[in-house]
């Protein structure tokens, strides 16, 4: 086989595991909190951590347990350059809810359609304006009265609240994962402030993940999270830390074997250089593997 072809084959075989290292405690904590949600212990869970620490990856591991417990896991993320679109991440989450309804059987879908219809009442158009897909489920909605911007905002909160209450149920607890709050628009932050999670919305777990290094004490998210706690909204915080030396060692061992030399030493250096940040460790592993493929590392 020609050298180039051989290399191509080697590169196509490159695999970097999606396994998470050093997260057993956090995973168990999140699952325990979710189990409480099914019993009506709804809450806001803040998940801070530096960029690349593994916030998103950790929270995604909740998908399976939620599914097994007949819950819904829906998610959306804010984008750095979409700050001028209000409720961007919430829209995405509702789109993901709409699609997950279609993976359920007809009986469940009918049940939820009925619940949503009843909940939104005459405000259905607020929902179909936000996520047009819902028109396919609910049909054409009655036209909304023209109101002032302030009234429209309150109408929106009311609609959102009713909708979430209708779709978070003891037999179907809801996980609403909203990621990257460092880029949230002000309207979304206001919405977060106004959601009565845990009191009115008892079967809801609202996960708020954000880059700690981009949210200082002056960021509106910080003030809002403080306010939620002052207002006695059930609130927990799980900080996602970088990995320790032992985690880094296992990460490298399982990713680079069978051909890794002086692993202890390598783990030490990588840990020092990356500070244990999974994103950088993973990038380093990819580079090692590529270097190996190109035959530069003997
Ligand atoms: N504990 C871990 N063990 C191994 N790999 C991990 C771990 N946590 C995250 N990763 C990997 O590291 C990369 C970064 O993780 P992730 O995207 O979850 O970070 P993040 O904190 O959400 O970053 P950002 O702030 O940029 O959104 C991903 O490729 C992920 O699969
Ligand atoms: Mg992330």
């Amino acid at each position: 086989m020609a050298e180039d072809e051989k290399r191509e084959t080697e590169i196509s075989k490159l695999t970097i595991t999606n396994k998470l290292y050093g997260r057993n405690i956090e995973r168990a904590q999140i699952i325990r909190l979710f189990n409480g949600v099914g019993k009506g212990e709804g809450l806001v869970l803040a998940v801070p951590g530096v960029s690349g620490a593994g916030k998103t990856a950790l929270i995604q591991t909740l998908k399976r347990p939620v599914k097994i417990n007949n819950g819904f896991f829906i998610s959306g993320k804010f984008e750095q350059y979409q700050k001028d679109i209000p409720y961007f991440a919430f829209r995405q989450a509702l789109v993901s809810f709409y699609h997950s309804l279609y993976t359920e059987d007809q009986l469940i879908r009918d049940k939820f359609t009925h619940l949503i219809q009843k909940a939104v009442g005459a405000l259905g158009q607020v929902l179909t304006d936000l996520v047009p897909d819902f028109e396919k489920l609910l049909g054409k909605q009655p036209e909304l009265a023209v109101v002032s911007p302030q009234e429209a905002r309150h109408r929106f909160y009311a609609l959102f609240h009713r909708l979430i209450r209708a779709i978070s149920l003891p037999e179907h607890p809801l996980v609403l994962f909203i990621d990257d709050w460092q880029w949230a628009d002000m309207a979304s932050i206001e919405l977060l402030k106004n959601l009565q999670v845990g009191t009115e919305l008892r079967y809801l777990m609202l996960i708020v993940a954000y880059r700690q290094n981009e949210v200082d004490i002056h960021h509106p998210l910080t003030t809002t999270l403080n306010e939620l706690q002052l207002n006695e909204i059930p609130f927990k915080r799980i900080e996602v830390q970088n990995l320790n030396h032992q985690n880094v060692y296992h990460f490298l061992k399982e990713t680079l074997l069978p051909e890794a030399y002086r692993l202890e030493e390598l783990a030490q250096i990588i840990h020092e250089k990356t500070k244990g940040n999974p994103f950088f460790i993973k990038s380093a592993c990819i580079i090692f593997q590529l270097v190996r493929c190109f035959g530069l590392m003997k």
Side-chain angles (χ1 to χ4, degrees):
M1 203 190 293
E3 201 50 34
D4 281 354
E5 230 175 286
K6 199 166 144 199
R7 189 177 297 149
E8 286 287 316
T9 319
E10 284 298 309
I11 291 175
S12 71
K13 280 195 297 194
L14 281 188
T15 48
I16 299 284
T17 169
N18 276 329
K19 180 172 163 182
L20 300 190
Y21 296 86
R23 292 291 183 243
N24 290 345
I25 293 173
E26 293 84 349
R27 278 173 75 169
Q29 272 178 311
I30 296 183
I31 291 176
R32 201 168 341 108
L33 291 174
F34 170 69
N35 289 337
V37 177
K39 298 180 197 134
E41 296 163 15
L43 79 156
V44 174
L45 172 64
V47 181
V50 298
S51 6
K55 305 174 289 298
T56 306
L58 171 68
I59 298 162
Q60 295 287 353
T61 63
L62 189 56
K63 269 187 176 171
R64 228 173 106 78
V66 172
K67 179 91 186 148
I68 291 169
N69 286 286
N70 297 317
F72 284 94
F73 180 104
I74 63 176
S75 62
K77 69 192 284 307
F78 293 108
E79 300 280 351
Q80 190 164 13
Y81 300 107
Q82 305 288 0
K83 273 187 179 167
D84 49 344
I85 303 180
Y87 313 115
F88 186 79
F90 285 101
R91 270 172 217 257
Q92 278 185 343
L94 291 181
V95 171
S96 86
F97 177 69
Y98 173 83
H99 289 297
S100 54
L101 273 186
Y102 279 87
T103 65
E104 298 292 334
D105 59 35
Q106 186 75 39
L107 221 61
I108 303 266
R109 192 153 67 240
D110 289 349
K111 170 175 157 179
F112 275 94
T113 309
H114 175 70
L115 286 170
I116 296 171
Q117 226 145 21
K118 217 168 98 192
V120 300
L123 299 184
Q125 206 198 330
V126 181
L127 177 59
T128 54
D129 280 353
L130 186 73
V131 183
D133 280 336
F134 274 98
E135 203 171 292
K136 290 183 224 149
L137 201 69
L138 306 175
K140 187 115 188 89
Q141 294 301 295
E143 213 158 290
L144 292 168
V146 179
V147 293
S148 70
Q150 199 192 353
E151 281 169 312
R153 201 168 337 118
H154 285 287
R155 187 166 66 183
F156 181 84
Y157 297 155
L159 175 277
F160 194 81
H161 192 271
R162 284 193 218 168
L163 174 69
I164 296 296
R165 196 170 50 187
I167 64 175
S168 47
L169 303 167
E171 67 277 25
H172 300 289
L174 178 69
V175 174
L176 172 56
F177 168 34
I178 302 289
D179 206 353
D180 291 318
W181 279 84
Q182 69 278 2
W183 297 318
D185 58 288
M186 270 319 288
S188 295
I189 291 186
E190 282 297 316
L191 178 62
L192 169 62
K193 210 183 281 183
N194 280 280
L195 278 178
Q196 298 295 309
V197 183
T199 51
E200 292 269 325
L201 306 172
R202 293 176 52 210
Y203 302 98
L204 169 69
M205 181 177 195
L206 171 60
I207 305 183
V208 174
Y210 57 95
R211 287 185 180 170
Q212 210 169 8
N213 48 320
E214 293 180 30
V215 171
D216 63 12
I217 53 164
H218 306 296
H219 194 289
L221 180 67
T222 311
T223 341
T224 300
L225 294 180
N226 289 340
E227 261 177 49
L228 291 182
Q229 292 168 81
L230 284 176
N231 293 338
E232 295 182 358
I233 295 289
F235 184 92
K236 292 273 187 270
R237 185 174 186 277
I238 296 180
E239 187 178 328
V240 180
Q241 310 268 4
N242 281 338
L243 303 181
N244 64 27
H245 173 264
Q246 206 189 11
N247 304 145
V248 177
Y249 175 80
H250 288 296
F251 196 155
L252 296 180
K253 187 170 169 197
E254 294 183 23
T255 315
L256 301 178
L257 278 180
E259 294 172 57
Y261 309 101
R262 295 156 69 188
L263 258 186
E264 268 292 350
E265 207 179 320
L266 186 64
Q268 183 85 34
I269 297 167
I270 296 276
H271 186 233
E272 253 172 54
K273 296 285 177 199
T274 63
K275 298 197 174 80
N277 185 291
F279 175 80
F280 292 125
I281 300 170
K282 209 164 177 172
S283 310
C285 287
I286 294 172
I287 293 169
F288 283 142
Q289 294 198 344
L290 281 172
V291 168
R292 186 190 287 157
C293 278
F294 277 74
L296 300 172
M297 208 159 93
K298 283 267 147 51

